[in-house]
Amino acid sequence: MEEKYRDWIAILDFGSQYTHLIARRTRELGIYSEIVPYNTEANELLVRGPKAVILSGGPASVSEKNSPVCDKDIFRMDIPVLGICYGAQLMAKILGGRVNKSRTREYGSAVLSVGNRSGLFKNLNEEEPIWMSHGDRVTKLPPGFEIIGATQNSPVAAMADGENRLYGVQFHPEVAHTPRGKVILDNFLITIANCKPTWNMRQFVDHSIREIREKVGSEKVLCALSGGVDSSVLAVLLHKAIGKSLIAIFVDNGLLRKNEAQIVEQRFRERYHINLKTIDAKGMFLKGLKGVKDPEKKRKIIGRLFIEVFEKEARKLGASRRTPKGPVRDRIKFLAQGTLYPDVIESRSPVGGPSATIKTHHNVGGLPSHLKFEIIEPLKDLFKDEVRLLGKELGLQDEIVYRQPFPGPGLAVRIIGPVTEERLNILRQADWILMDEIKHSNYYRKLWQSFCVLLPIKTVGVMGDKRTYENVVAIRAVTTEDAMTAQWAKLPYKLLEKVSNSIINEVKGINRVVYDISSKPPSTIEWE
């Protein structure tokens, strides 16, 4: 993608949890950025021609053996380089400075005393709130550098070699906790690197449509459509590019929310005129999940069954058929997948190594290689928020573009314990009431996610002067910017009371509603 944008930024990834945010902030400023492995050679970068390089933070210490090190020639490429946290410390060490362990680890909010309010810190105040996250600090400047910012615990919180356009900051300008961080990045990208802001969704649409048409030609493309943001945007983009050559498949697995299947069919057939084929596989999925309690097993079963259903349908669509002139094979050459940029980054990052499995993520990827499709991934350069912007550019309705995330395994992982048709119906009704009230109260767009969870317990209640022994539903609502961390939403008591009363009065089988007030971490957003 960067070849289409003359001005682009390379971000060397040293494993920071905030690396994605650096790329997102640069793109918000209109500059296309690509995250590349930390060990990418300077010669390779020179060939591809970035206007500047940013070195990300990372969990390692530059003094550790085998800590990640970039190609030293990156600092001799005659383009601006900005090191952030670990990247700044690495810059200092490589260029002849010194880095030591801090006596006091600096994590969280700090105040930056700005020593030079020009260049990188142009338009900043003399003191600025910033976000720190480090255990090492620069104790000796490399030759040619000067201190341009300090905190109480970090005498070298920011350094600069203005002549060679090399800069290092100990803090994280990319996070929301550094309020003026975007100003710093703007100074680096626009003023120092002289980048022109040419990255926007209108240009992305034009480039993508040309690319798809050139690659696909007169062939057909198969696409799995779930009705979620990513697959919806993918399908509409493909339809805009190739029209009837797109065949979208919607698998109704019986684990969807109330009226979801009908809504998807009506929306994409009637409004967007997409060639959509719906597969009713409710019975197959319910049978496969019978008696299964473990959430990981649920996810794996659902993923396997989806592949089986999709593969069977793909074979039908690509099977030989007889005509008056003899057998004809309608071979579908391409499969479109809604891979996003974070998936691409994580699949190729050399930093970190295996991490603990929190939960398996299920999507439409990972189809068997023997299906012999050529894969096209038009969204592979985009972050989730950019997919939403793309949806707006394509004219999708707000109810699609701003739809809250819904898990691939659907309501199966919002039912704690075995999945049955009866429990699915109870949860669907409760979820419908919650969504209706959240939307009517104008809280839907303020929340990242809001949903009901059906618990595997029953409690005693009293309804109509009679004892009841029925199910418990938990309401979960969270706010977050990127789902890496999340806070439970402080919904008004009157709204919660209304939702609770409506669910208990209208949903047969529920006599108690509770509200989840745990944040992430330590809890996850979904319960399973």
Side-chain angles (χ1 to χ4, degrees):
M1 178 60 69
E2 76 277 358
E3 290 82 1
K4 303 184 186 77
Y5 294 88
R6 183 172 59 84
D7 295 355
W8 73 282
I9 302 297
I11 301 169
L12 270 59
D13 181 16
F14 290 92
S16 170
Q17 61 178 322
Y18 301 134
T19 302
H20 292 195
L21 286 178
I22 302 172
R24 287 172 60 188
R25 297 295 175 259
T26 63
R27 293 184 183 192
E28 286 169 7
L29 292 167
I31 312 299
Y32 180 74
S33 58
E34 181 177 334
I35 297 172
V36 300
Y38 72 86
N39 52 6
T40 302
E41 294 184 358
N43 286 337
E44 181 183 342
L45 288 175
L46 281 170
V47 169
R48 299 171 66 187
K51 291 280 285 188
V53 172
I54 296 178
L55 312 180
S56 83
S61 168
V62 295
S63 58
E64 290 175 354
K65 187 178 181 182
N66 299 323
S67 60
V69 178
C70 64
D71 186 345
K72 297 177 178 59
D73 287 340
I74 283 172
F75 302 107
R76 304 185 184 95
M77 289 170 54
D78 196 29
I79 60 174
V81 180
L82 171 64
I84 295 175
C85 196
Y86 179 89
Q89 296 162 7
L90 183 64
M91 176 188 291
K93 183 178 179 181
I94 288 175
L95 297 178
R98 186 183 301 125
V99 178
N100 295 108
K101 287 282 184 187
S102 296
R103 292 181 180 178
T104 303
R105 188 174 186 271
E106 210 169 5
Y107 181 83
S109 297
V111 175
L112 178 72
S113 297
V114 179
N116 186 336
R117 295 169 63 197
S118 61
L120 190 66
F121 290 163
K122 181 183 177 183
N123 296 323
L124 293 192
N125 298 314
E126 291 182 359
E127 291 190 339
E128 290 284 355
I130 57 171
W131 184 260
M132 289 285 202
S133 179
H134 67 98
D136 294 346
R137 65 182 184 181
V138 177
T139 54
K140 179 186 175 184
L141 287 172
F145 279 76
E146 64 171 331
I147 297 173
I148 59 171
T151 68
Q152 185 175 358
N153 292 317
S154 294
V156 187
M159 61 182 188
D161 175 354
E163 184 177 346
N164 293 302
R165 296 184 295 172
L166 304 176
Y167 303 86
V169 294
Q170 184 60 71
F171 57 92
H172 289 272
E174 71 273 23
V175 303
H177 302 295
T178 302
R180 304 270 285 172
K182 210 166 178 179
V183 174
I184 296 170
L185 292 173
D186 184 274
N187 288 335
F188 177 71
L189 297 169
I190 308 297
T191 305
I192 295 170
N194 197 30
C195 292
K196 302 295 186 296
T198 57
W199 169 253
N200 58 65
M201 285 303 111
R202 180 169 295 179
Q203 287 202 40
F204 180 86
V205 169
D206 294 341
H207 289 315
S208 297
I209 287 175
R210 284 199 298 269
E211 273 189 347
I212 292 166
R213 287 174 177 169
E214 288 172 8
K215 185 166 186 176
V216 171
S218 60
E219 300 286 349
K220 294 185 182 298
V221 177
L222 200 61
C223 168
L225 177 63
S226 70
V229 178
D230 300 341
S231 69
S232 298
V233 172
L234 174 65
V236 172
L237 176 63
L238 287 166
H239 184 259
K240 191 175 182 69
I242 59 175
K244 294 296 183 182
S245 293
L246 169 67
I247 302 173
I249 294 180
F250 171 62
V251 177
D252 182 358
N253 58 15
L255 307 172
L256 305 173
R257 288 175 290 198
K258 187 176 178 180
N259 298 335
E260 186 86 4
Q262 298 94 310
I263 291 170
V264 168
E265 284 191 299
Q266 182 181 33
R267 176 181 291 153
F268 290 96
R269 279 206 185 108
E270 297 179 14
R271 183 178 180 88
Y272 298 110
H273 311 294
I274 288 174
N275 182 11
L276 175 66
K277 184 172 181 60
T278 299
I279 310 299
D280 185 350
K282 294 191 286 287
M284 179 188 295
F285 280 82
L286 273 173
K287 183 178 178 181
L289 290 168
K290 186 176 181 179
V292 178
K293 297 180 181 180
D294 182 79
E296 277 300 292
K297 286 184 179 179
K298 288 181 187 177
R299 291 174 181 273
K300 288 174 181 176
I301 289 168
I302 292 165
R304 174 177 56 79
L305 291 176
F306 177 85
I307 289 172
E308 287 181 12
V309 172
F310 196 88
E311 180 178 1
K312 182 179 179 181
E313 193 58 34
R315 289 187 182 282
K316 281 184 187 177
L317 293 168
S320 298
R321 61 184 175 87
R322 297 198 66 80
T323 70
K325 296 182 179 180
V328 174
R329 182 172 179 79
D330 293 329
R331 181 173 178 271
I332 299 174
K333 186 175 182 181
F334 295 99
L335 172 70
Q337 294 189 162
T339 308
L340 300 190
Y341 194 43
D343 303 321
V344 175
I345 299 164
E346 288 162 11
S347 69
R348 70 187 183 195
S349 175
V351 180
S355 59
T357 298
I358 307 301
K359 61 185 178 184
T360 301
H361 290 272
H362 165 71
N363 52 37
V364 300
L367 293 172
S369 60
H370 61 257
L371 285 179
K372 304 301 181 186
F373 287 114
E374 284 187 37
I375 304 297
I376 57 174
E377 301 169 309
L379 310 182
K380 70 180 185 302
D381 293 309
L382 302 183
F383 289 101
K384 185 75 172 189
D385 52 341
E386 292 175 316
V387 174
R388 296 187 193 277
L389 292 174
L390 174 59
K392 291 290 288 182
E393 184 65 33
L394 291 168
L396 272 74
Q397 300 161 284
D398 282 358
E399 61 186 290
I400 301 175
V401 172
Y402 298 109
R403 171 176 152 141
Q404 293 179 1
F406 186 66
L411 298 180
V413 291
R414 291 180 178 173
I415 293 175
I416 311 302
V419 178
T420 65
E421 191 165 1
E422 179 186 5
R423 291 178 70 76
L424 280 166
N425 287 332
I426 290 173
L427 182 56
R428 276 196 195 97
Q429 292 179 65
D431 184 77
W432 181 270
I433 291 169
L434 174 66
M435 285 296 100
D436 190 51
E437 295 294 349
I438 290 289
K439 288 175 180 176
H440 276 93
S441 65
N442 293 320
Y443 268 87
Y444 187 82
R445 291 273 297 273
K446 299 174 185 177
L447 302 173
W448 176 268
Q449 272 179 280
S450 49
F451 55 90
C452 288
V453 181
L454 186 59
L455 305 187
I457 58 173
K458 291 188 175 183
T459 65
V460 174
V462 178
M463 299 178 77
D465 293 328
K466 292 183 180 180
R467 177 186 183 276
T468 62
Y469 191 58
E470 300 290 2
N471 295 283
V472 181
V473 157
I475 296 173
R476 179 71 158 148
V478 298
T479 58
T480 178
E481 286 193 7
D482 51 25
M484 293 175 64
T485 62
Q487 294 292 323
W488 62 275
K490 281 66 173 177
L491 295 178
Y493 289 157
K494 285 188 177 180
L495 173 58
L496 291 172
E497 181 182 27
K498 189 174 182 181
V499 171
S500 176
N501 287 341
S502 297
I503 289 175
I504 291 171
N505 289 330
E506 298 175 30
V507 182
K508 187 177 180 180
I510 295 175
N511 70 356
R512 192 177 299 271
V513 175
V514 297
Y515 190 51
D516 182 349
I517 59 169
S518 48
S519 296
K520 176 186 179 181
S523 303
T524 53
I525 295 176
E526 296 282 351
W527 279 43
E528 287 194 345

